[in-house]
Amino acid sequence: MSNQFQVSGHNPHALFTLKVHRGDGMSLLAMNWKAGRPPNDFAGFAIEYREPGGHKFFPLQNRLCFPDASGGVNPNRLSTRFSPIQKFRWVHFPRNAEMLGDFDYRVCPVFMSASGVLSYGDLQEVSIQLRRETYPGQLNVCFTRGFVSSQAFVDKYVVPGHGIETLIPDDAETGLTFVPTHPKTKEALAWMGFEARSAILEVLDQAIADPTAQVRVVAYDLNEPGLVTRLERLGARLRVIVDDSDKHGLATSGETQATQRLIVSAGAANVMRQHMGDLQHNKTIVVDGTNVQAVVCGSTNYSWRGFFVQANNAVVLRGASSVTIFRAAFDAYWAHSDAGGFGKTGSAIFNDLGLEDIDAKVGFSPYAKKNALLATIAADIADHTTSSLFYSLAFLYQTPGVVLDAIKKVTLDPDLFVYGISDKRVGGLNVQLPDGKIAPMSPSALGKNVPEPFKSEPKGGSGARMHHKFVVIDFDKPTARVYMGSYNFSASADRKNGENLLLITDRRIAVSYVVEALRIFDHYHFRVVQADAKKAKKTLSLQKPPTHAGEKPWFAKDYEDVRRIKDRELFA
């Protein structure tokens, strides 16, 4: 069994290297040519995989294909054996990634003759365990899909007469009473919520089943009926803090509606409204019982958008040490609704989570001035990044300060590899391209009137789409570390809001977040490519090998552009 989180192919006859990185619910395949540049007739990579215990390899599909003689393209997805991947890395979502055992991947180079005939080189083959839990029994990183605006969603769940509004409510105020009418509701919501939703609900189901379990919840958004119904079933075993800042405090808000219901089920003495100095922005669940000891934290709000539209992450921690620390933080919030009082508690510093063989710490905002972490994080990014920086940060460019300055500094260093994406406060995205430039994307660029052979996609409503808050430093080094949580890397998150921030120094976990960063980055970077193609009135297709002097092959930029060279070499 191959239980490593990074596995390489070892075929000496293959012309390229292959390295597969384990993500959570996904895998990253990275390839690189062994000697020099590929020949000009190299047309891309064919990728196939086999599930644990399976007897057949299935080819990955490609939405792009080679144009025919008239320049037309096939609108259907084709096997990568006939429409090879023209990239040196690819993120794959196996259909049953949670299966135990080895997933087998095999990759081979595809060549195209001058007459258009395809041939294949020696392959690389690797086996890797993907499994559901990152560290079984201790820590599990999980993500939402965040791909409502995607061709995959269109293929699977767009049904004539049943738009996105039949799956999720347009207004958060109607969230607790909204009933989906889409004919594929159950399947679609499971796909959209991905592992984060299922893992969070699983923790609550386990808490319900353990009559000794005491549950402590802090919620910013709270309008998803499946989660609220589970909280109601806990009765007086639940104590909950619900944010009441801004619109959350209105009598008609989903949060107020949820609060009223929980007062009935848990008792008024077990329900509190709070906004600290600005927001009570935590999204935490603590289950402390004889049979279940678990914690949920991260960026995933307990709402329709948090589960089903936004790109979010959650971490599920298991064990008494994590429960003790998070329960103490809950008690501190319960006792101190003011930033000054909470900042003096033992929760407003980094505390070791006490996990076996995992260096993980957590701190809770708001911090006092002497305990503040923002400047320390910025210094870590700016002064201690030695190889690479990956970030996926909601609202980064709407909260300027020392972290944004640190990211800009690292981005300008030619020796460092930086990829990032940030969501704007009112729709759209900022995508940092491989050339180091920032490409702003308006909501209208997200899936509307895309060029052939792609279909228009639903936008998934207004508001943030990319809601992550994580930074990964030096994922390929022994010092690999991740900052993640509900914390927005801003002065308000540091000194005013109720937040959780984890610092995890661990390569397996860092790789999981990097794979997530790449799949989000590539998804939206391709939207930039689509927008450029639409503007130029071009059809997107694979590039055939050059046939005339002066023409360049599809991979030329990967060997000429400094950042693309680093990209190709870093992962493979």
Side-chain angles (χ1 to χ4, degrees), residues 164-170 178 180 189 192 304-305 308-309 460:
I164 190 71
E165 70 280 357
T166 67
L167 269 176
I168 58 175
D170 287 330
F178 176 78
L189 293 184
M192 295 155 73
W304 287 91
R305 290 191 62 79
F308 303 122
V309 176

Side-chain angles (χ1 to χ4, degrees), residues 76-320:
N76 301 309
R77 293 191 301 163
L78 300 176
S79 163
T80 53
R81 288 191 64 81
F82 308 111
S83 292
I85 301 294
Q86 291 190 335
K87 288 173 64 89
F88 284 92
R89 55 176 169 79
W90 192 257
V91 175
H92 175 230
F93 287 86
R95 182 173 300 176
N96 300 300
E98 74 282 356
M99 292 180 67
L100 298 176
D102 284 1
F103 281 80
D104 301 319
Y105 284 96
R106 63 185 186 192
V107 181
C108 70
V110 182
F111 304 92
M112 177 181 278
S113 70
S115 60
V117 176
L118 298 178
S119 59
Y120 306 90
D122 288 318
L123 58 80
Q124 292 277 17
E125 188 168 355
V126 300
S127 298
I128 190 168
Q129 286 187 10
L130 299 181
R131 70 192 185 191
R132 186 184 180 202
E133 290 188 278
T134 317
Y135 278 101
Q138 285 203 90
L139 184 152
N140 187 29
V141 176
C142 37
F143 302 101
T144 62
R145 185 83 62 171
F147 273 6
V148 170
S149 294
S150 71
Q151 293 295 297
F153 182 85
V154 172
D155 288 346
K156 293 174 181 289
Y157 305 117
V158 168
V159 177
H162 293 84
I164 190 71
E165 70 280 357
T166 67
L167 269 176
I168 58 175
D170 287 330
D171 189 343
E173 287 189 0
T174 65
L176 291 175
T177 57
F178 176 78
V179 179
T181 58
H182 194 285
K184 296 184 177 181
T185 292
K186 184 176 181 180
E187 178 188 349
L189 293 184
W191 185 87
M192 295 155 73
F194 202 37
E195 189 186 358
R197 181 215 186 196
S198 63
I200 291 169
L201 296 184
E202 179 182 71
V203 167
L204 288 176
D205 288 339
Q206 291 170 347
I208 292 167
D210 181 355
T212 69
Q214 294 291 312
V215 179
R216 303 292 181 261
V217 174
V218 186
Y220 178 65
D221 288 342
L222 186 61
N223 63 52
E224 201 281 322
L227 189 137
V228 173
T229 298
R230 285 170 167 83
L231 296 183
E232 286 179 307
R233 291 179 61 190
L234 290 164
R237 294 192 285 130
L238 171 72
R239 182 167 283 188
V240 59
I241 299 172
V242 183
D243 177 73
D244 63 355
S245 65
D246 301 326
K247 292 183 178 180
H248 285 174
L250 298 177
T252 55
S253 72
E255 289 66 37
T256 298
Q257 294 173 52
T259 297
Q260 292 168 347
R261 286 173 53 175
L262 295 174
I263 286 174
V264 173
S265 61
N270 286 325
V271 181
M272 177 184 286
R273 301 302 298 275
Q274 184 184 84
H275 55 264
M276 301 308 292
D278 195 357
L279 312 173
Q280 179 42 278
H281 196 242
N282 274 287
K283 315 96 170 46
T284 57
I285 299 171
V286 183
V287 180
D288 190 0
T290 302
N291 302 320
V292 184
Q293 291 189 308
V295 169
V296 174
C297 58
S299 72
T300 306
N301 279 313
Y302 307 140
S303 65
W304 287 91
R305 290 191 62 79
F307 278 162
F308 303 122
V309 176
Q310 297 168 338
N312 272 312
N313 68 93
V315 169
V316 178
L317 302 164
R318 301 279 180 176

Side-chain angles (χ1 to χ4, degrees), residues 544-555:
K544 294 183 178 180
T547 56
H548 302 289
E551 289 184 344
K552 291 187 175 182
W554 67 267
F555 53 82

Side-chain angles (χ1 to χ4, degrees), residues 391 411 418-421 430-434 436-439 521 563:
Y391 65 88
T411 302
V418 182
Y419 261 2
I421 189 167
N430 283 317
V431 182
Q432 184 175 299
L433 301 178
K437 297 178 180 178
I438 299 295
F521 178 88
R563 292 180 185 269

Side-chain angles (χ1 to χ4, degrees), residues 361-376:
K361 303 176 179 65
V362 63
F364 297 88
S365 304
Y367 300 102
K369 184 177 181 180
K370 65 179 181 180
N371 299 335
L373 291 177
L374 191 67
T376 302

Side-chain angles (χ1 to χ4, degrees), residues 290-421:
T290 302
N291 302 320
V292 184
Q293 291 189 308
V295 169
V296 174
C297 58
S299 72
T300 306
N301 279 313
Y302 307 140
S303 65
W304 287 91
R305 290 191 62 79
F307 278 162
F308 303 122
V309 176
Q310 297 168 338
N312 272 312
N313 68 93
V315 169
V316 178
L317 302 164
R318 301 279 180 176
S321 60
S322 296
V323 166
T324 297
I325 291 171
F326 275 79
R327 187 161 179 172
F330 180 93
D331 291 343
Y333 285 126
W334 193 268
H336 302 281
S337 289
D338 63 297
F342 184 87
K344 298 175 183 177
T345 69
S347 294
I349 58 173
F350 267 141
N351 286 284
D352 195 295
L353 284 168
L355 302 176
E356 184 180 350
D357 298 326
I358 305 172
D359 182 353
K361 303 176 179 65
V362 63
F364 297 88
S365 304
Y367 300 102
K369 184 177 181 180
K370 65 179 181 180
N371 299 335
L373 291 177
L374 191 67
T376 302
I377 297 167
D380 193 11
I381 294 170
D383 302 329
H384 301 291
T385 300
T386 62
S387 168
S388 62
L389 176 71
F390 294 82
Y391 65 88
S392 190
L393 295 173
F395 317 131
L396 175 65
Y397 286 84
Q398 283 66 54
T399 53
V402 292
V403 168
L404 178 58
D405 292 342
I407 289 174
K408 288 181 176 179
K409 175 185 175 182
V410 173
T411 302
L412 293 174
D413 189 329
D415 294 325
L416 301 177
F417 183 84
V418 182
Y419 261 2
I421 189 167

